Amino acid sequence: MARSSGGPAAVAELRSGQRSRAMLLLRALVDIASAHPALPGPLPPPRDAWHLLVRAERRSPAAVDRLLLHPPVGVWLNRCLRRLRGLESGDGPLWSAVGHLHAVAASAALLAGIDFRGAVPVRDGGVILPALGFARIPDRAHVAEVVMTDRKAAVVSGPYAVTLPADFAEEAPGWHGLRRLRGEHRGIVCSPYVDDLDPYRDFLRIRGPRRLTDKERQGWQERFDSAWRLVAQQREVDPRGIGACLSSVVPVPYVAWPEPFSASSPEAYGCVLLGGATDPLTLAAALVHEAQHIKLSALMDLVPLIDQGLEEIHYAPWRLDPRPLRGLFQGVYAFAGVTGFWQDRLRRAGSGPAGDAAAFEFALRRAQTSSGLRTLLDHAELTPMGQEFLHRLEERLAQWLARPVPSVPGRLAADLIEDHRMVHRMRHLLPDPGRLAQWARAWRERSEPPRELPGTSVRPTRTEALTRPALARLRLRDPEGFARLREGGGAGSPDGGNAPDRTDLDRVALDRADPDRAAPDRADLDWAAGDTTTALRRYRGRVEADPDDIAAWAGLGLSLPGGPARAALLSHPELVLAVHREVRTAPGTGPDPVALARWIGARTGR
């Protein structure tokens, strides 16, 4: 997996491990639930469902495997076990949550084609049959029955009956079948469910069925097909392995910044949550990213890679909040896959905007991966296999780091690496108050500060959205659109300027970053354009107007020429900001930010 990122054979081993894990969890749930005083409620005992699963497996092992590896079943198992152990509060009655086991068993029996009759819980106006679909029940019953006789199946509740079609994926009166997306390129196929039905499909929260309209589903199909073509074309991350491990895509209403929302979870093997529409390249990169997470999570269930220090938190170059070492391990592997994807796109794109955009993403992702990998090698207590895994990954990464990229994409990527680190340090690192006071006193008295830098502690605090990455992408992908945006004057244009096109703003997604800002700040536009002289002047104005504008302080560091002031902001931005806060008495009364940074830089020698 470290060398080739996991092909079909590796994924088959991971799936086998996940099946064993699901069986253990399922047996634990049956045992705990069978002894619980509040169960089974109006449903049969949990062991009845277990026996039905055994019958189904004897007839069709593949049918039970399909249920055990269905991502929402994994989510339900983990949530239900935590609830039974008092570790999680519930949504709805306990008997209904545990009784979902009967629906799992019914689905397996239906797929196996055996005759049976079994009670199942009703929720959200119907009966969910995992991996199959949703039967709407018009009455207010809490329990219904699933019946299979001579390969004819129905969901029955009192006088109502929903007859299931022979092909469960089809639509029928009262029945919504679970549908699939399909992507194929040169014989490499990926066909995950597009799950809009299962209450456990979204591992972040339980949600009722929300059927996609025909137009919405068609939009998802078109985007997925285009994205899959790009995934299947590249060879840095085995596309057959990606196709084998992606089993469901779940449309969710979440948004993220500065990139579209996507997520996966160790409890939902094979599932990817995706928020909103995006272009095929971004979606393809997200699929690679989440597939890497899915594979590594499954591997870490089988093989311990990291031993001690899981509670430690460290800087993650792809997130503004500190991350535990296990999360850092996940991020390194995921972004190694994304780096490989963009390396392949760079090789194919040639010159022009497409090539510049691919070069930027490649340079940015390889630098982020390298930084995270170094933190793991320096701080994590790795098992022997964990060390071998990361060193093999390091060998791959060394080849990518040696590849040259054009100057403008390379400069923007390097700047954004520094930008992210500065904002993180200013947001999360708190200098020791005693030492900080000595530095502030030395500034006031024009004396020499202490020889040692103040120690820092990590403080949990809110993160913030950064606009500069989106502007860099816009400049490279759409130079004309970026030029129109810059000509429009940006936010706060004193002369009113020409308003930028709405499409330009949508590309930057500024409404997600800051709903109150109608256009990007002019200093950020100048930085993205490479006009550091003008950007420096405007960032200084922003800091003087709002000394706590962390993004402006970071922009100042990016725009300064080489020297002590730039070195101080790149290396110790939290100290520069903290001293500035310490010595100023009111907004507008603090020292000149560049002069202060120069003074600190000259004394730290860094």
Side-chain angles (χ1 to χ4, degrees), residues 310-351:
L310 298 183
E311 293 76 28
E312 291 182 18
I313 54 175
H314 292 268
Y315 169 67
W318 45 82
R319 290 179 62 136
L320 284 174
D321 55 329
R323 300 291 291 156
L325 287 169
R326 186 181 179 94
L328 201 60
F329 205 122
Q330 280 279 356
V332 164
Y333 191 64
F335 280 104
V338 174
T339 301
F341 172 81
W342 286 112
Q343 191 273 343
D344 186 87
R345 295 312 307 169
L346 176 59
R347 180 175 61 84
R348 296 171 184 274
S351 59

Side-chain angles (χ1 to χ4, degrees), residues 326-498:
R326 186 181 179 94
L328 201 60
F329 205 122
Q330 280 279 356
V332 164
Y333 191 64
F335 280 104
V338 174
T339 301
F341 172 81
W342 286 112
Q343 191 273 343
D344 186 87
R345 295 312 307 169
L346 176 59
R347 180 175 61 84
R348 296 171 184 274
S351 59
D356 286 343
F360 166 79
E361 299 291 353
F362 171 64
L364 180 67
R365 299 314 188 187
R366 72 180 179 182
Q368 291 173 326
T369 306
S370 179
S371 172
L373 179 61
R374 183 49 47 198
T375 299
L376 284 173
L377 292 173
D378 289 345
H379 296 281
E381 294 191 29
L382 302 166
T383 66
M385 278 200 176
Q387 290 179 349
E388 182 181 359
F389 188 92
L390 288 184
H391 284 308
R392 291 187 181 184
L393 196 60
E394 188 178 31
E395 293 172 2
R396 257 185 113 204
L397 187 58
Q399 299 173 2
W400 292 332
L401 289 169
R403 174 162 185 171
V405 297
S407 59
V408 172
R411 189 270 300 177
L412 289 170
D415 268 9
L416 288 175
I417 291 293
E418 299 288 4
D419 186 21
H420 190 277
R421 186 180 297 275
M422 283 188 286
V423 171
H424 171 88
R425 292 181 70 95
M426 286 186 281
R427 180 61 67 192
H428 294 290
L429 297 188
L430 186 66
D432 174 72
R435 290 284 186 183
L436 177 61
Q438 294 175 351
W439 276 81
R441 184 167 58 252
W443 167 265
R444 293 191 191 97
E445 297 173 354
R446 298 298 188 266
S447 60
E448 285 299 311
R451 290 180 177 271
E452 295 182 2
L453 290 168
T456 58
S457 58
V458 178
R459 56 174 180 177
T461 185
R462 68 176 181 87
T463 57
E464 60 190 49
L466 297 180
T467 301
R468 285 184 284 263
L471 289 173
R473 289 185 171 97
L474 179 62
R475 177 190 171 180
L476 297 171
R477 293 183 181 181
D478 184 3
E480 293 181 359
F482 176 81
R484 288 196 302 271
L485 190 62
R486 194 175 180 219
E487 289 168 6
S493 175
D495 57 5
N498 294 320

